[in-house]
Amino acid sequence: MAENDWKKRLGVVYSTNPDFSYQEEEAPEAETLSPDKQKLIVGIDRKGRGGKQVTLVTGFVGKEEDLVELGRTLKVKCGVGGSAKDGEITVQGDLRDKVVALLKSMGYNAKRGN
């Protein structure tokens, strides 16, 4: 099924060579910066969530696994749910002050946004 995924090859010109196989270029994932070089912004968001408030941590530069681990740590220490994907960590509820304090205690440069 993965070999027949035509949507990834939309810009490719047709080849008459029967042995041709399309090669995809994978973008290299950014290396995770040390905590003191990260500039994280902790804000609040309600859009697309039915009026519910979530604390949103943006500005993380690094691997997806490290982002998920940081998100897991924040969720456990705050005692709430949330998610970590696409370079953002969401923590359910308005916990901006607590998240900023936790991030600073872990050595991150965290700043409270809106």
Side-chain angles (χ1 to χ4, degrees):
M1 186 77 171
E3 294 176 14
N4 198 17
D5 192 10
W6 58 272
K7 292 181 181 179
K8 293 181 182 175
R9 301 185 309 247
L10 282 176
V12 178
V13 178
Y14 180 75
S15 175
T16 57
N17 184 359
D19 298 327
F20 178 76
S21 66
Y22 179 71
Q23 302 293 325
E24 289 184 29
E25 292 182 17
E26 292 188 20
E29 196 169 3
E31 194 63 34
T32 303
L33 295 176
S34 63
D36 58 336
K37 294 184 181 178
Q38 298 272 4
K39 293 181 181 173
L40 303 178
I41 299 173
V42 181
I44 193 165
D45 193 22
R46 289 184 199 94
K47 295 179 183 156
R49 294 177 174 88
K52 307 271 188 202
Q53 295 179 340
V54 295
T55 303
L56 195 63
V57 180
T58 57
F60 186 84
V61 177
K63 296 182 180 175
E64 194 71 24
E65 299 89 34
D66 296 332
L67 175 74
V68 170
E69 186 60 37
L70 178 60
R72 183 179 298 125
T73 304
L74 290 176
K75 292 185 297 183
V76 166
K77 297 223 179 188
C78 291
V80 295
S83 67
K85 58 185 173 188
D86 300 330
E88 294 180 339
I89 300 171
T90 58
V91 178
Q92 294 175 350
D94 185 5
L95 301 170
R96 290 176 286 185
D97 295 328
K98 188 172 186 178
V99 169
V100 168
L102 286 170
L103 288 171
K104 285 190 177 186
S105 70
M106 289 186 226
Y108 287 93
N109 281 335
K111 184 171 98 172
R112 185 177 167 171
N114 53 355

